[in-house]
Amino acid sequence: MKWETVIGLEVHTQLLTASKIFSGASTMYGSEPNTQACAVDIGLPGVLPVMNVEAARMAIKFGLAIGAEINRHSVFARKNYFYPDLPKGYQISQYELPIVYNGKVEIDVDGLTKIISITRAHLEEDAGKSLHEDFHGLSGIDFNRAGTPLLEIVSEPDMRSAAEAVVYLKKLHELVRYLEICDGNMQEGSFRCDANVSVRPEGQETFGTRTELKNINSFKFVEKAIEFEIERQIDVLESGGAVVLETRLYDPDKNETRPMRSKEEAHDYRYFPDPDLPPLELDEAFIEAVRQTLPELPDAKRARFKRDYKLSDYDAGVLTATAAMADYYEDAVRKSKSDPKLVANWTIGDLSAYLNKENLSIEDSAVSSTMFSGLMKKINDGTLSVKTGKQVLEMLWKGQGADATDESTAAESVIIKFDLAQISDRTKIEQVIDKVLAASEAQVQQYRNGQEKVFGYFVGQVMKATGGKANPKQVNEILKKKLND
Amino acid sequence: MLTQSDVERIAHLARLHIDERESKVFSDSLSQILALIEEMNAVDTSNIEPMAHPQDVGLRLRKDAVTETDRRTEFQEIAPATENGLYVVPKVVE
Amino acid sequence: MGPEAVINKSLAELSRALQSKETSSVDLTRAFLERMDTGQGLNAFITVDGDRALEQARAADARIARGDAGSLTGMPLAHKDIFCTKGLLTTCGSKILSNFVAPYNATLIERFNQAGAVILGKTNMDEFAMGSSNETSYFGAVENPWDRACVPGGSSGGSAAAVAARLAPAATGTDTGGSIRQPAAFCGITGLKPSYGRVSRYGMVAFASSLDQGGVLTRSAEDAAYLLSVMAGFDPRDSTSIDRPADDYVGSLEQDISGLTIGLPRQFFGEGLDPEVGRRVEAAIEEYKRLGVKAVDIDMPNCSLAVPCYYVLGPAEASSNLARYDGVRYGYRAPEYADLIDMYKKTRSQGFGAEVKRRILIGTYVLSAGYYDAYYLKALKLRRLIAQEFEQAFQICDLIVGPTTPTTAFKLGAKVDDPIAMYLNDIYTIPANLSGLPGISIPAGFDNAGHPVGLQLIGRYFDEARLLNMAHHYQRVTDWHKHTPAGFA
């Protein structure tokens, strides 16, 4: 039997607020345990929640970016369950009336555009963390994370393969970072994903029984966990069994999913409106003010890059992967007044290689976009060849040029200091070529007898003699002329 | 009417340990209370907007500012069990 | 001024005596501490820290000497043990918080501290404010100073008994379904529940968050006005606190009330009302008429369903509010357990008393899958109907008047095993909580057994000034509020 996979994702994004959603404690990651858990966060008797305006703004920003409806009236509800990392015995979340609903995200699958519908995105508070290691059979609880604002983005079951799920997840990841509402750090848990997975015989309309996969916190694991789960479900069904509706934990070490013991009992969360929090009422002015802060979104930026800079799909995609990358590129193009394709090649090629080697993001590049623009200018006007260009980039990366009066002249000062400017003086090049030809009579003879591939040898010799600085175009031209004379 | 098994089910949801004798007692008194509650059915409430808050106001929003400082020592002085700054509980199963 | 003189003065009088330096805060505080010490045996207090109180009193005296005093500077006050007090036990009448020393002050406590008031002690109460007799307290029942075989009412039973027995000039309380007004009625004192949102709930241990409101138990409406002036106000830490300045409660006490209209809901005078209570209330209404107030009969049929409505909403919210008592971060933890779930269950079963468990169970049930609409949602809709009834009533009257309770204080133990009978005690007080309206109970005489009768007034939202003004006029022409229980004079 042929099986069709059905996947929906629930993505938890930690919002980049300074303080928590309902308290004034810091949301900073990585502090000593429980030093950022205030009275409200640990749920002391008598404390009360007060909502952070920025969390609302960020949720709206996301909603506007995916063309969703913004609820003018949304309600915070309590989700009741016991767990040691949940200080109050309930999580403040949104249930019946979420702040954002009915949006959509477009993804590219094998060159085709597919729409993934977003059912809802709601605000809620994160829980603390249970640490299981080194506690001689006990667990230690850290509430620093408790109360960090989360936007939970729930998709419709619109994806049909693990690969599609990953494309969608990457798209969301890119979007929330563009919007600057989430840092997207999956390792630190600021961008987390649960997947609802089911299979059904191809052609069947009703959905199969789904399982919910948890703990899949990298793009790689999302793909692997879903693939494993699809296989598992198909095996179960083909051997005459039935898939059980359950929550399963992905174990990346064993690459398998297994039922979560803590979720074995039936859920009965007893949601009801939180009496401590009146409904969140949003007026048009508030929403409009958020709309004004929307940046150019990734899809629009990509289209513009392709159009304005005449870039390929691939180049535009890489250069708009993050807003910072796109800003860097555009700054370099603008300041260098160089061929955008040339700047794109150098950004995607050599510059990215340095970044990747040192595992840096573009924001932390040792060569600023201004320095880079100085370099691009010198390549674009022929002062530098590809080879010397690479040398200059390396020197800039290593800190040379720091003595320049300003960043835009750093490349130039390196070029002067190390005498790397291209030789484009015709007389000079002719002198070198004459010398080379005079010293290579045998090769000249071969060439003139029709062995044209010897031509490369002459070029090499000229370059060697000039330390690679001779203008290659002129070298070619003059060589041809002299050899054919 | 609440049976003893209803009582046991909700007691588990509420994380209360209820023994046989108690579940009998509670099923009696809770059933009486439910009967009292069901007097509500005397009133037709269709088309009535539910009222979760006794005041007609919207949520007040606060500025996003860090106003709290570390008070771990104070807070953990009153905790049943802590170690290395963590609250200690029996092992949590996932 | 000697201790005897001090004990029988109203808070307003004591305030004037402090300002004019006829007495000092230390003398006053010491007088009340000694009175508690001599063991009145009412069990009205859970915690008394005399040294700390005297330290606060000395600071207050210094402040008075500096000329930096307000009307409550140096005033010893008792606080219901539901308000978090930094460095002092805050038990909420429960074993589960029997070791809980709050690391912060409730906003209400903070406001009194800033005013320079002295914390005399923390008063006994029904566990988590769930009860109408103070018999559910882990720290034992409280006796009614008028009849020590009777309950003082609840849940603010300790506060009511303390004020009635002159163990404190005044006390704070909280009122979720009548927990200030009902004990005030049973103990022959004045009890004010302000509008929901008037007094901050921050630091007040939550029972049912949409119904809870902090207030006061005092000897007179005038005393209540003094306290409310300090307590009322906006608190940015409470999302349900209303950003509206407090009115001049003291200044408006004497305002003319003639020409005002009181509404008498038929449902407050029907079946279930003890005839003696009814007669005292009728007499009070006649008194008002003599003061130029008009009385009209009104009909509030849905109010008679306030009790069932309340026993859905209160327990539902409580079941969630009390989930935090799990033995992890503070409070009691069972000494022995097998695993995590066992720790939760043993901690909570050992830590909570029977009534609290009963309400957690009923609340869990009405919110659980399959029952939400029939019970919880139904109750929210009924609540709207009840609130609308008040809105309509206030079209034709300025205040609503009736009995506070159907009966006077009953015997200790009489209703412990009959939750329904206990719940019906609050039949006249609950509607104001459901609607968020302010209510006050004032003494209106005694029944044949010598038990006090309470008269209830309910006002428009945020109309505390009018409520106190009306109560004050009654107290100008009557002296019920000045009676002191035998043995406590």
Side-chain angles (χ1 to χ4, degrees), chain C residues 262-269 281-282 285 289 295-299 397 399-402:
Chain C
I262 53 174
L264 312 174
R266 198 187 319 283
Q267 287 71 19
F268 284 23
F269 294 88
V281 171
E282 297 290 353
I285 293 164
K289 286 183 185 163
V296 291
D297 287 329
I298 54 174
D299 197 26
C397 63
L399 292 108
I400 288 165
V401 172

mmCIF file with all atom_site columns, all heavy atoms in Angstrom, chain C residues 262-269 281-282 285 289 295-299 397 399-402:
data_model
loop_
_atom_site.group_PDB
_atom_site.id
_atom_site.type_symbol
_atom_site.label_atom_id
_atom_site.label_alt_id
_atom_site.label_comp_id
_atom_site.label_asym_id
_atom_site.label_entity_id
_atom_site.label_seq_id
_atom_site.pdbx_PDB_ins_code
_atom_site.Cartn_x
_atom_site.Cartn_y
_atom_site.Cartn_z
_atom_site.occupancy
_atom_site.B_iso_or_equiv
_atom_site.pdbx_formal_charge
_atom_site.auth_seq_id
_atom_site.auth_comp_id
_atom_site.auth_asym_id
_atom_site.auth_atom_id
_atom_site.pdbx_PDB_model_num
ATOM 1   N N   . ILE C 1 262 ? -33.406 53.720 49.148 1.00 0.00 ? 262 ILE C N   1
ATOM 2   C CA  . ILE C 1 262 ? -32.851 52.385 49.340 1.00 0.00 ? 262 ILE C CA  1
ATOM 3   C C   . ILE C 1 262 ? -33.801 51.362 48.729 1.00 0.00 ? 262 ILE C C   1
ATOM 4   O O   . ILE C 1 262 ? -35.026 51.502 48.804 1.00 0.00 ? 262 ILE C O   1
ATOM 5   C CB  . ILE C 1 262 ? -32.591 52.051 50.832 1.00 0.00 ? 262 ILE C CB  1
ATOM 6   C CG1 . ILE C 1 262 ? -33.843 52.275 51.691 1.00 0.00 ? 262 ILE C CG1 1
ATOM 7   C CG2 . ILE C 1 262 ? -31.427 52.875 51.366 1.00 0.00 ? 262 ILE C CG2 1
ATOM 8   C CD1 . ILE C 1 262 ? -33.679 51.819 53.133 1.00 0.00 ? 262 ILE C CD1 1
ATOM 9   N N   . GLY C 1 263 ? -33.209 50.343 48.109 1.00 0.00 ? 263 GLY C N   1
ATOM 10  C CA  . GLY C 1 263 ? -34.002 49.272 47.509 1.00 0.00 ? 263 GLY C CA  1
ATOM 11  C C   . GLY C 1 263 ? -34.006 48.065 48.430 1.00 0.00 ? 263 GLY C C   1
ATOM 12  O O   . GLY C 1 263 ? -32.965 47.705 48.981 1.00 0.00 ? 263 GLY C O   1
ATOM 13  N N   . LEU C 1 264 ? -35.168 47.471 48.589 1.00 0.00 ? 264 LEU C N   1
ATOM 14  C CA  . LEU C 1 264 ? -35.282 46.304 49.460 1.00 0.00 ? 264 LEU C CA  1
ATOM 15  C C   . LEU C 1 264 ? -35.637 45.093 48.590 1.00 0.00 ? 264 LEU C C   1
ATOM 16  O O   . LEU C 1 264 ? -36.794 44.961 48.173 1.00 0.00 ? 264 LEU C O   1
ATOM 17  C CB  . LEU C 1 264 ? -36.381 46.536 50.514 1.00 0.00 ? 264 LEU C CB  1
ATOM 18  C CG  . LEU C 1 264 ? -36.315 47.884 51.252 1.00 0.00 ? 264 LEU C CG  1
ATOM 19  C CD1 . LEU C 1 264 ? -37.539 48.055 52.160 1.00 0.00 ? 264 LEU C CD1 1
ATOM 20  C CD2 . LEU C 1 264 ? -35.029 47.983 52.082 1.00 0.00 ? 264 LEU C CD2 1
ATOM 21  N N   . PRO C 1 265 ? -34.670 44.240 48.306 1.00 0.00 ? 265 PRO C N   1
ATOM 22  C CA  . PRO C 1 265 ? -34.966 43.108 47.428 1.00 0.00 ? 265 PRO C CA  1
ATOM 23  C C   . PRO C 1 265 ? -35.872 42.118 48.140 1.00 0.00 ? 265 PRO C C   1
ATOM 24  O O   . PRO C 1 265 ? -35.549 41.656 49.228 1.00 0.00 ? 265 PRO C O   1
ATOM 25  C CB  . PRO C 1 265 ? -33.594 42.491 47.158 1.00 0.00 ? 265 PRO C CB  1
ATOM 26  C CG  . PRO C 1 265 ? -32.578 43.396 47.768 1.00 0.00 ? 265 PRO C CG  1
ATOM 27  C CD  . PRO C 1 265 ? -33.286 44.240 48.782 1.00 0.00 ? 265 PRO C CD  1
ATOM 28  N N   . ARG C 1 266 ? -36.981 41.826 47.500 1.00 0.00 ? 266 ARG C N   1
ATOM 29  C CA  . ARG C 1 266 ? -37.938 40.869 48.038 1.00 0.00 ? 266 ARG C CA  1
ATOM 30  C C   . ARG C 1 266 ? -37.218 39.576 48.446 1.00 0.00 ? 266 ARG C C   1
ATOM 31  O O   . ARG C 1 266 ? -37.489 39.002 49.495 1.00 0.00 ? 266 ARG C O   1
ATOM 32  C CB  . ARG C 1 266 ? -38.953 40.569 46.928 1.00 0.00 ? 266 ARG C CB  1
ATOM 33  C CG  . ARG C 1 266 ? -40.243 39.942 47.355 1.00 0.00 ? 266 ARG C CG  1
ATOM 34  C CD  . ARG C 1 266 ? -41.109 39.532 46.131 1.00 0.00 ? 266 ARG C CD  1
ATOM 35  N NE  . ARG C 1 266 ? -41.111 40.509 45.041 1.00 0.00 ? 266 ARG C NE  1
ATOM 36  C CZ  . ARG C 1 266 ? -41.809 41.635 45.047 1.00 0.00 ? 266 ARG C CZ  1
ATOM 37  N NH1 . ARG C 1 266 ? -42.539 41.961 46.091 1.00 0.00 ? 266 ARG C NH1 1
ATOM 38  N NH2 . ARG C 1 266 ? -41.780 42.445 44.008 1.00 0.00 ? 266 ARG C NH2 1
ATOM 39  N N   . GLN C 1 267 ? -36.244 39.154 47.604 1.00 0.00 ? 267 GLN C N   1
ATOM 40  C CA  . GLN C 1 267 ? -35.564 37.881 47.823 1.00 0.00 ? 267 GLN C CA  1
ATOM 41  C C   . GLN C 1 267 ? -34.715 37.866 49.100 1.00 0.00 ? 267 GLN C C   1
ATOM 42  O O   . GLN C 1 267 ? -34.308 36.816 49.557 1.00 0.00 ? 267 GLN C O   1
ATOM 43  C CB  . GLN C 1 267 ? -34.672 37.548 46.614 1.00 0.00 ? 267 GLN C CB  1
ATOM 44  C CG  . GLN C 1 267 ? -35.440 37.118 45.362 1.00 0.00 ? 267 GLN C CG  1
ATOM 45  C CD  . GLN C 1 267 ? -36.203 38.253 44.710 1.00 0.00 ? 267 GLN C CD  1
ATOM 46  O OE1 . GLN C 1 267 ? -35.930 39.439 44.932 1.00 0.00 ? 267 GLN C OE1 1
ATOM 47  N NE2 . GLN C 1 267 ? -37.194 37.904 43.907 1.00 0.00 ? 267 GLN C NE2 1
ATOM 48  N N   . PHE C 1 268 ? -34.423 39.031 49.667 1.00 0.00 ? 268 PHE C N   1
ATOM 49  C CA  . PHE C 1 268 ? -33.615 39.087 50.883 1.00 0.00 ? 268 PHE C CA  1
ATOM 50  C C   . PHE C 1 268 ? -34.477 39.002 52.143 1.00 0.00 ? 268 PHE C C   1
ATOM 51  O O   . PHE C 1 268 ? -33.987 38.996 53.255 1.00 0.00 ? 268 PHE C O   1
ATOM 52  C CB  . PHE C 1 268 ? -32.801 40.387 50.950 1.00 0.00 ? 268 PHE C CB  1
ATOM 53  C CG  . PHE C 1 268 ? -31.586 40.410 50.039 1.00 0.00 ? 268 PHE C CG  1
ATOM 54  C CD1 . PHE C 1 268 ? -31.515 39.603 48.923 1.00 0.00 ? 268 PHE C CD1 1
ATOM 55  C CD2 . PHE C 1 268 ? -30.513 41.254 50.322 1.00 0.00 ? 268 PHE C CD2 1
ATOM 56  C CE1 . PHE C 1 268 ? -30.407 39.634 48.077 1.00 0.00 ? 268 PHE C CE1 1
ATOM 57  C CE2 . PHE C 1 268 ? -29.394 41.296 49.494 1.00 0.00 ? 268 PHE C CE2 1
ATOM 58  C CZ  . PHE C 1 268 ? -29.342 40.485 48.368 1.00 0.00 ? 268 PHE C CZ  1
ATOM 59  N N   . PHE C 1 269 ? -35.788 38.978 51.929 1.00 0.00 ? 269 PHE C N   1
ATOM 60  C CA  . PHE C 1 269 ? -36.677 39.001 53.093 1.00 0.00 ? 269 PHE C CA  1
ATOM 61  C C   . PHE C 1 269 ? -37.625 37.816 53.107 1.00 0.00 ? 269 PHE C C   1
ATOM 62  O O   . PHE C 1 269 ? -38.615 37.822 53.805 1.00 0.00 ? 269 PHE C O   1
ATOM 63  C CB  . PHE C 1 269 ? -37.476 40.315 53.109 1.00 0.00 ? 269 PHE C CB  1
ATOM 64  C CG  . PHE C 1 269 ? -36.611 41.526 53.339 1.00 0.00 ? 269 PHE C CG  1
ATOM 65  C CD1 . PHE C 1 269 ? -36.013 42.197 52.270 1.00 0.00 ? 269 PHE C CD1 1
ATOM 66  C CD2 . PHE C 1 269 ? -36.378 41.990 54.628 1.00 0.00 ? 269 PHE C CD2 1
ATOM 67  C CE1 . PHE C 1 269 ? -35.217 43.305 52.484 1.00 0.00 ? 269 PHE C CE1 1
ATOM 68  C CE2 . PHE C 1 269 ? -35.571 43.105 54.839 1.00 0.00 ? 269 PHE C CE2 1
ATOM 69  C CZ  . PHE C 1 269 ? -34.990 43.763 53.761 1.00 0.00 ? 269 PHE C CZ  1
ATOM 70  N N   . VAL C 1 281 ? -33.958 44.172 61.117 1.00 0.00 ? 281 VAL C N   1
ATOM 71  C CA  . VAL C 1 281 ? -33.656 44.831 59.844 1.00 0.00 ? 281 VAL C CA  1
ATOM 72  C C   . VAL C 1 281 ? -34.785 45.808 59.473 1.00 0.00 ? 281 VAL C C   1
ATOM 73  O O   . VAL C 1 281 ? -34.521 46.933 59.045 1.00 0.00 ? 281 VAL C O   1
ATOM 74  C CB  . VAL C 1 281 ? -33.415 43.784 58.729 1.00 0.00 ? 281 VAL C CB  1
ATOM 75  C CG1 . VAL C 1 281 ? -33.318 44.453 57.362 1.00 0.00 ? 281 VAL C CG1 1
ATOM 76  C CG2 . VAL C 1 281 ? -32.139 42.992 59.029 1.00 0.00 ? 281 VAL C CG2 1
ATOM 77  N N   . GLU C 1 282 ? -36.038 45.368 59.686 1.00 0.00 ? 282 GLU C N   1
ATOM 78  C CA  . GLU C 1 282 ? -37.171 46.258 59.421 1.00 0.00 ? 282 GLU C CA  1
ATOM 79  C C   . GLU C 1 282 ? -37.052 47.531 60.272 1.00 0.00 ? 282 GLU C C   1
ATOM 80  O O   . GLU C 1 282 ? -37.294 48.646 59.795 1.00 0.00 ? 282 GLU C O   1
ATOM 81  C CB  . GLU C 1 282 ? -38.507 45.570 59.763 1.00 0.00 ? 282 GLU C CB  1
ATOM 82  C CG  . GLU C 1 282 ? -38.833 44.328 58.936 1.00 0.00 ? 282 GLU C CG  1
ATOM 83  C CD  . GLU C 1 282 ? -39.173 44.641 57.483 1.00 0.00 ? 282 GLU C CD  1
ATOM 84  O OE1 . GLU C 1 282 ? -39.282 45.844 57.138 1.00 0.00 ? 282 GLU C OE1 1
ATOM 85  O OE2 . GLU C 1 282 ? -39.311 43.689 56.687 1.00 0.00 ? 282 GLU C OE2 1
ATOM 86  N N   . ILE C 1 285 ? -34.612 49.854 58.853 1.00 0.00 ? 285 ILE C N   1
ATOM 87  C CA  . ILE C 1 285 ? -35.153 50.533 57.668 1.00 0.00 ? 285 ILE C CA  1
ATOM 88  C C   . ILE C 1 285 ? -36.051 51.703 58.105 1.00 0.00 ? 285 ILE C C   1
ATOM 89  O O   . ILE C 1 285 ? -36.007 52.792 57.516 1.00 0.00 ? 285 ILE C O   1
ATOM 90  C CB  . ILE C 1 285 ? -35.903 49.524 56.772 1.00 0.00 ? 285 ILE C CB  1
ATOM 91  C CG1 . ILE C 1 285 ? -34.889 48.523 56.172 1.00 0.00 ? 285 ILE C CG1 1
ATOM 92  C CG2 . ILE C 1 285 ? -36.690 50.231 55.672 1.00 0.00 ? 285 ILE C CG2 1
ATOM 93  C CD1 . ILE C 1 285 ? -35.504 47.271 55.597 1.00 0.00 ? 285 ILE C CD1 1
ATOM 94  N N   . LYS C 1 289 ? -35.850 55.678 57.305 1.00 0.00 ? 289 LYS C N   1
ATOM 95  C CA  . LYS C 1 289 ? -36.972 56.486 56.804 1.00 0.00 ? 289 LYS C CA  1
ATOM 96  C C   . LYS C 1 289 ? -37.084 57.768 57.624 1.00 0.00 ? 289 LYS C C   1
ATOM 97  O O   . LYS C 1 289 ? -37.349 58.839 57.090 1.00 0.00 ? 289 LYS C O   1
ATOM 98  C CB  . LYS C 1 289 ? -38.271 55.693 56.851 1.00 0.00 ? 289 LYS C CB  1
ATOM 99  C CG  . LYS C 1 289 ? -38.356 54.617 55.765 1.00 0.00 ? 289 LYS C CG  1
ATOM 100 C CD  . LYS C 1 289 ? -39.708 53.910 55.834 1.00 0.00 ? 289 LYS C CD  1
ATOM 101 C CE  . LYS C 1 289 ? -39.762 52.755 54.837 1.00 0.00 ? 289 LYS C CE  1
ATOM 102 N NZ  . LYS C 1 289 ? -40.865 51.827 55.166 1.00 0.00 ? 289 LYS C NZ  1
ATOM 103 N N   . ALA C 1 295 ? -37.720 54.263 50.798 1.00 0.00 ? 295 ALA C N   1
ATOM 104 C CA  . ALA C 1 295 ? -37.500 52.832 50.598 1.00 0.00 ? 295 ALA C CA  1
ATOM 105 C C   . ALA C 1 295 ? -38.434 52.308 49.521 1.00 0.00 ? 295 ALA C C   1
ATOM 106 O O   . ALA C 1 295 ? -39.615 52.660 49.502 1.00 0.00 ? 295 ALA C O   1
ATOM 107 C CB  . ALA C 1 295 ? -37.727 52.077 51.902 1.00 0.00 ? 295 ALA C CB  1
ATOM 108 N N   . VAL C 1 296 ? -37.866 51.516 48.605 1.00 0.00 ? 296 VAL C N   1
ATOM 109 C CA  . VAL C 1 296 ? -38.708 50.903 47.575 1.00 0.00 ? 296 VAL C CA  1
ATOM 110 C C   . VAL C 1 296 ? -38.448 49.401 47.547 1.00 0.00 ? 296 VAL C C   1
ATOM 111 O O   . VAL C 1 296 ? -37.329 48.940 47.784 1.00 0.00 ? 296 VAL C O   1
ATOM 112 C CB  . VAL C 1 296 ? -38.415 51.469 46.159 1.00 0.00 ? 296 VAL C CB  1
ATOM 113 C CG1 . VAL C 1 296 ? -38.874 52.915 46.071 1.00 0.00 ? 296 VAL C CG1 1
ATOM 114 C CG2 . VAL C 1 296 ? -36.945 51.334 45.782 1.00 0.00 ? 296 VAL C CG2 1
ATOM 115 N N   . ASP C 1 297 ? -39.499 48.641 47.263 1.00 0.00 ? 297 ASP C N   1
ATOM 116 C CA  . ASP C 1 297 ? -39.314 47.195 47.104 1.00 0.00 ? 297 ASP C CA  1
ATOM 117 C C   . ASP C 1 297 ? -38.765 46.930 45.712 1.00 0.00 ? 297 ASP C C   1
ATOM 118 O O   . ASP C 1 297 ? -39.195 47.553 44.744 1.00 0.00 ? 297 ASP C O   1
ATOM 119 C CB  . ASP C 1 297 ? -40.665 46.484 47.277 1.00 0.00 ? 297 ASP C CB  1
ATOM 120 C CG  . ASP C 1 297 ? -41.083 46.479 48.741 1.00 0.00 ? 297 ASP C CG  1
ATOM 121 O OD1 . ASP C 1 297 ? -40.186 46.454 49.613 1.00 0.00 ? 297 ASP C OD1 1
ATOM 122 O OD2 . ASP C 1 297 ? -42.305 46.517 49.001 1.00 0.00 ? 297 ASP C OD2 1
ATOM 123 N N   . ILE C 1 298 ? -37.812 46.037 45.648 1.00 0.00 ? 298 ILE C N   1
ATOM 124 C CA  . ILE C 1 298 ? -37.297 45.661 44.325 1.00 0.00 ? 298 ILE C CA  1
ATOM 125 C C   . ILE C 1 298 ? -37.299 44.142 44.208 1.00 0.00 ? 298 ILE C C   1
ATOM 126 O O   . ILE C 1 298 ? -37.380 43.422 45.203 1.00 0.00 ? 298 ILE C O   1
ATOM 127 C CB  . ILE C 1 298 ? -35.873 46.227 44.053 1.00 0.00 ? 298 ILE C CB  1
ATOM 128 C CG1 . ILE C 1 298 ? -34.901 45.824 45.169 1.00 0.00 ? 298 ILE C CG1 1
ATOM 129 C CG2 . ILE C 1 298 ? -35.909 47.734 43.897 1.00 0.00 ? 298 ILE C CG2 1
ATOM 130 C CD1 . ILE C 1 298 ? -33.479 46.212 44.880 1.00 0.00 ? 298 ILE C CD1 1
ATOM 131 N N   . ASP C 1 299 ? -37.190 43.706 42.973 1.00 0.00 ? 299 ASP C N   1
ATOM 132 C CA  . ASP C 1 299 ? -37.235 42.277 42.701 1.00 0.00 ? 299 ASP C CA  1
ATOM 133 C C   . ASP C 1 299 ? -35.912 41.847 42.071 1.00 0.00 ? 299 ASP C C   1
ATOM 134 O O   . ASP C 1 299 ? -35.486 42.417 41.064 1.00 0.00 ? 299 ASP C O   1
ATOM 135 C CB  . ASP C 1 299 ? -38.400 42.005 41.740 1.00 0.00 ? 299 ASP C CB  1
ATOM 136 C CG  . ASP C 1 299 ? -38.771 40.537 41.726 1.00 0.00 ? 299 ASP C CG  1
ATOM 137 O OD1 . ASP C 1 299 ? -38.519 39.836 42.741 1.00 0.00 ? 299 ASP C OD1 1
ATOM 138 O OD2 . ASP C 1 299 ? -39.297 40.071 40.690 1.00 0.00 ? 299 ASP C OD2 1
ATOM 139 N N   . CYS C 1 397 ? -32.773 52.868 42.709 1.00 0.00 ? 397 CYS C N   1
ATOM 140 C CA  . CYS C 1 397 ? -32.375 53.138 44.089 1.00 0.00 ? 397 CYS C CA  1
ATOM 141 C C   . CYS C 1 397 ? -30.885 53.437 44.148 1.00 0.00 ? 397 CYS C C   1
ATOM 142 O O   . CYS C 1 397 ? -30.149 53.131 43.216 1.00 0.00 ? 397 CYS C O   1
ATOM 143 C CB  . CYS C 1 397 ? -32.741 51.972 45.004 1.00 0.00 ? 397 CYS C CB  1
ATOM 144 S SG  . CYS C 1 397 ? -31.899 50.442 44.610 1.00 0.00 ? 397 CYS C SG  1
ATOM 145 N N   . LEU C 1 399 ? -28.953 52.630 46.990 1.00 0.00 ? 399 LEU C N   1
ATOM 146 C CA  . LEU C 1 399 ? -28.310 51.549 47.724 1.00 0.00 ? 399 LEU C CA  1
ATOM 147 C C   . LEU C 1 399 ? -29.323 50.427 47.908 1.00 0.00 ? 399 LEU C C   1
ATOM 148 O O   . LEU C 1 399 ? -30.530 50.668 47.853 1.00 0.00 ? 399 LEU C O   1
ATOM 149 C CB  . LEU C 1 399 ? -27.873 52.011 49.129 1.00 0.00 ? 399 LEU C CB  1
ATOM 150 C CG  . LEU C 1 399 ? -26.754 53.016 49.199 1.00 0.00 ? 399 LEU C CG  1
ATOM 151 C CD1 . LEU C 1 399 ? -27.315 54.362 49.599 1.00 0.00 ? 399 LEU C CD1 1
ATOM 152 C CD2 . LEU C 1 399 ? -25.704 52.554 50.182 1.00 0.00 ? 399 LEU C CD2 1
ATOM 153 N N   . ILE C 1 400 ? -28.784 49.252 48.141 1.00 0.00 ? 400 ILE C N   1
ATOM 154 C CA  . ILE C 1 400 ? -29.666 48.121 48.424 1.00 0.00 ? 400 ILE C CA  1
ATOM 155 C C   . ILE C 1 400 ? -29.460 47.747 49.883 1.00 0.00 ? 400 ILE C C   1
ATOM 156 O O   . ILE C 1 400 ? -28.321 47.710 50.370 1.00 0.00 ? 400 ILE C O   1
ATOM 157 C CB  . ILE C 1 400 ? -29.341 46.954 47.470 1.00 0.00 ? 400 ILE C CB  1
ATOM 158 C CG1 . ILE C 1 400 ? -29.842 47.329 46.074 1.00 0.00 ? 400 ILE C CG1 1
ATOM 159 C CG2 . ILE C 1 400 ? -29.966 45.657 47.958 1.00 0.00 ? 400 ILE C CG2 1
ATOM 160 C CD1 . ILE C 1 400 ? -29.310 46.482 44.976 1.00 0.00 ? 400 ILE C CD1 1
ATOM 161 N N   . VAL C 1 401 ? -30.556 47.516 50.576 1.00 0.00 ? 401 VAL C N   1
ATOM 162 C CA  . VAL C 1 401 ? -30.480 47.258 52.008 1.00 0.00 ? 401 VAL C CA  1
ATOM 163 C C   . VAL C 1 401 ? -31.222 45.968 52.350 1.00 0.00 ? 401 VAL C C   1
ATOM 164 O O   . VAL C 1 401 ? -32.265 45.672 51.773 1.00 0.00 ? 401 VAL C O   1
ATOM 165 C CB  . VAL C 1 401 ? -31.073 48.447 52.802 1.00 0.00 ? 401 VAL C CB  1
ATOM 166 C CG1 . VAL C 1 401 ? -31.187 48.099 54.286 1.00 0.00 ? 401 VAL C CG1 1
ATOM 167 C CG2 . VAL C 1 401 ? -30.214 49.697 52.617 1.00 0.00 ? 401 VAL C CG2 1
ATOM 168 N N   . GLY C 1 402 ? -30.635 45.222 53.289 1.00 0.00 ? 402 GLY C N   1
ATOM 169 C CA  . GLY C 1 402 ? -31.271 43.988 53.737 1.00 0.00 ? 402 GLY C CA  1
ATOM 170 C C   . GLY C 1 402 ? -30.475 43.389 54.879 1.00 0.00 ? 402 GLY C C   1
ATOM 171 O O   . GLY C 1 402 ? -29.542 44.026 55.389 1.00 0.00 ? 402 GLY C O   1
#
